[in-house]
């Protein structure tokens, strides 16, 4: 019997056997069989008698692309989408995938560095602690100043949009903004914030840093589930969702939950610092040097999110992952925080944001000033913003 892997007969013309095609494409015969079963790389001909697979040499380029995409770790279901696209669209999809990988790697790096700093500080504290030391409260020292957050939230429909899909909330334990998109965008943004309101967190002293990080991840997962439930009735639930940037007050620290391109800023010592990283294709192009920050402000491409809270399915046009960034933020009395959707940050430059946040006497005045700046800049999108002060608790 003729063995699979020998040259195909003359009746098959220019087709080659699976063994020869494996050599040309640098994919194993086993991988080729697997990709055939998945519908990822079909042979040009399957012998109806013996089941041998034969390939057209013109398939080699596509097969090599599959091999390269596997080498960068792309999942098979996503590879199937990429190889079905034309070259330009495939390039955009690959860039979006890799940007997401880098964003997730950066989030893990930040968490690793936080853990290193936290454990190093804990080790120094333990080495100085006398044997008879007693627990002195949530701050770890007697007579520590009690802090609280006082904030204000505002959303504005803007000048151009006919519906408001943004949501914002400022309470004594929670600060949050969410920017909805798609058919169920308004429901998604509202659901994400509502899921955070019944937070079970207690005072800092009741939870270790590790427990706080776990609680943050649980909170983020609750928001993701709430969004999926909220957009499920939509005709295309995978095209609806929301960004989320939220800070949860523990009593002496803020826990940050962030996904998408809404932002959080910290005003400290007169300087305004951005403390979140956009999960967007444009931000990834800034990160790899393809765009300067100045060029990014006028980039003509679509606002493609790399991460967001959305429905289960993931369309090629919106690459989403439901795992939010989480971390703990140390606070000082006098800090002022700004959380906002891109309806503000994309149209008002950082200098004007800082000026408005600095000039306002209180958070309520600050959010009104910021919404006004967005409208003066043309108000092309909905705006959600929260401003909150860290104050000594009365």
């Amino acid at each position: 019997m003729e063995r699979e892997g020998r040259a195909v007969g003359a009746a098959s013309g220019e087709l080659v056997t699976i063994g020869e095609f494996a050599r040309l494409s640098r994919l194993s015969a086993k991988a080729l069989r697997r990709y055939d079963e998945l519908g990822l790389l079909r042979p040009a001909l399957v012998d109806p008698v013996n089941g041998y697979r034969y390939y057209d040499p013109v398939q080699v380029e596509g097969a090599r692309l599959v091999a390269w995409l596997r080498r960068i770790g792309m999942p098979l279901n996503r590879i199937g989408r990429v190889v079905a696209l034309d070259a330009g669209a495939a390039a955009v999809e690959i860039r979006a995938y890799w940007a997401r990988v880098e964003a997730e790697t950066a989030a893990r790096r930040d968490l690793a560095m936080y853990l290193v700093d936290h454990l190093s500080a804990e080790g120094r504290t333990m080495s100085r602690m006398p044997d008879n030391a007693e627990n002195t409260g949530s701050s770890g020292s007697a007579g520590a100043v009690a802090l609280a957050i006082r904030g204000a939230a505002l959303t504005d429909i803007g000048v151009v949009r006919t519906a408001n899909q943004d949501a914002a909330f400022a309470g004594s334990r929670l600060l949050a903004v969410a920017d909805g998109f798609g058919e169920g965008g308004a429901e998604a943004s509202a659901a994400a914030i509502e899921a955070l309101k019944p937070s079970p967190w207690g005072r800092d002293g009741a939870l270790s840093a590790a427990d706080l990080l776990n609680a943050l991840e649980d909170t983020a997962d609750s928001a993701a589930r709430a969004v999926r439930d909220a957009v499920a009735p939509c005709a295309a639930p995978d095209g609806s969702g929301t960004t989320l940037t939220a800070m949860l007050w523990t009593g002496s620290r803020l826990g940050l939950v962030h996904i998408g391109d809404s932002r959080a800023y910290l005003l400290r010592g007169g300087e305004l610092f951005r403390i979140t990283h956009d999960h967007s294709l444009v931000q990834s192009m800034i990160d790899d040097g393809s765009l300067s920050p100045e060029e990014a402000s006028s980039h003509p491409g679509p606002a493609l999110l790399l991460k967001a809270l959305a429905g289960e399915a993931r369309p090629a046009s919106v690459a989403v992952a439901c795992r939010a960034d989480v971390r703990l933020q140390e606070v000082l009395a006098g800090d002022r925080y700004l959380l906002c959707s891109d309806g503000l940050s994309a149209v008002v430059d950082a200098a004007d944001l800082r000026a408005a946040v600095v000039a306002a006497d209180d958070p309520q005045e600050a959010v009104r000033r910021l919404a006004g700046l967005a409208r003066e800049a043309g108000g092309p999108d909905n705006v959600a913003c929260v401003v909150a002060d860290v104050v000594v608790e009365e």
Side-chain angles (χ1 to χ4, degrees):
M1 180 181 291
E2 183 182 16
R3 293 176 57 83
E4 187 173 6
R6 291 178 56 188
V8 72
S12 300
E14 297 181 355
L15 301 186
V16 298
T17 63
I18 190 172
E20 177 63 13
F21 192 74
R23 185 188 67 78
L24 293 172
S25 64
R26 299 191 178 184
L27 288 168
S28 69
K30 181 179 179 180
L32 289 172
R33 294 187 192 99
R34 175 63 173 158
Y35 296 161
D36 179 15
E37 293 168 359
L38 295 173
L40 185 60
L41 187 61
R42 296 289 195 189
L45 173 68
V46 178
D47 191 302
V49 177
N50 55 34
Y52 291 169
R53 296 171 174 85
Y54 299 99
Y55 293 81
D56 192 319
V58 300
Q59 294 178 275
V60 168
E61 185 175 351
R64 287 175 176 169
L65 176 59
V66 172
W68 293 330
L69 294 175
R70 287 298 290 157
R71 289 181 66 181
I72 66 172
M74 184 178 286
L76 289 173
N77 62 343
R78 188 158 188 170
I79 290 176
R81 295 202 302 267
V82 172
V83 298
L85 300 172
D86 61 47
V92 170
E93 182 73 5
I94 294 168
R95 175 184 285 278
Y97 166 75
W98 192 248
R100 172 184 155 186
V101 171
E102 290 186 326
E104 292 175 345
T105 300
R108 291 196 296 270
R109 181 181 63 243
D110 290 345
L111 178 57
M113 292 301 98
Y114 167 79
L115 293 173
V116 168
D117 292 343
H118 167 72
L119 293 173
S120 297
E122 190 175 77
R124 290 193 296 271
T125 300
M126 292 299 293
S127 68
R128 294 194 302 267
M129 187 177 293
D131 292 340
N132 62 350
E134 296 181 355
N135 185 1
T136 56
S138 64
S139 65
S141 60
V145 174
L147 300 176
I149 54 171
R150 301 286 183 267
L154 182 147
T155 65
D156 185 77
I157 195 171
V159 175
V160 175
R161 299 293 178 90
T162 58
N164 191 351
Q165 294 187 310
D166 283 9
F169 180 81
S172 61
R173 309 287 289 179
L174 171 67
L175 312 171
V177 297
D179 182 355
F181 58 84
E183 176 192 353
E187 292 79 6
S189 60
I193 293 179
E194 284 299 316
L196 303 185
K197 289 182 181 179
S199 169
W201 293 28
R203 288 285 179 175
D204 245 345
L207 293 173
S208 67
D211 287 337
L212 286 170
L213 288 171
N214 287 341
L216 274 176
E217 287 211 333
D218 290 344
T219 299
D221 290 343
S222 295
R225 288 192 298 270
V227 170
R228 288 196 295 270
D229 290 344
V231 302
C234 296
D238 52 348
S240 296
T242 186
T243 68
L244 177 65
T245 299
M247 305 191 84
L248 294 99
W249 180 238
T250 70
S252 65
R253 287 183 284 194
L254 283 164
L256 175 68
V257 176
H258 170 67
I259 187 166
D261 61 357
S262 295
R263 293 181 175 180
Y265 296 85
L266 165 63
L267 179 70
R268 179 180 288 175
E271 295 297 323
L272 188 68
F273 305 95
R274 177 151 62 107
I275 59 174
T276 54
H277 195 76
D278 292 352
H279 300 138
S280 67
L281 182 60
V282 166
Q283 181 63 57
S284 76
M285 295 174 72
I286 295 173
D287 294 341
D288 67 19
S290 302
L291 283 178
S292 69
E294 294 74 24
E295 291 170 332
S297 62
S298 58
H299 186 260
L304 179 66
L305 290 176
L306 302 177
K307 298 175 73 174
L309 302 180
E312 284 289 357
R314 287 154 174 79
S317 59
V318 181
V320 296
C322 289
R323 178 61 66 182
D325 296 347
V326 300
R327 75 165 187 267
L328 298 176
Q329 176 78 23
E330 300 296 334
V331 302
L332 298 174
D335 286 348
R336 175 168 282 185
Y337 286 88
L338 164 63
L339 282 62
C340 65
S341 63
D342 69 338
L344 177 64
S345 59
V347 299
V348 178
D349 65 35
D352 290 337
L353 285 179
R354 176 191 171 279
V357 174
V358 168
D361 291 332
D362 56 51
Q364 191 67 54
E365 180 186 349
V367 295
R368 287 197 298 265
R369 283 175 178 259
L370 292 166
L373 287 176
R375 280 185 166 267
E376 289 171 11
D381 198 358
N382 305 150
V383 171
C385 58
V386 168
V387 174
D389 293 335
V390 179
V391 300
V392 176
E393 191 170 28
E394 296 178 359

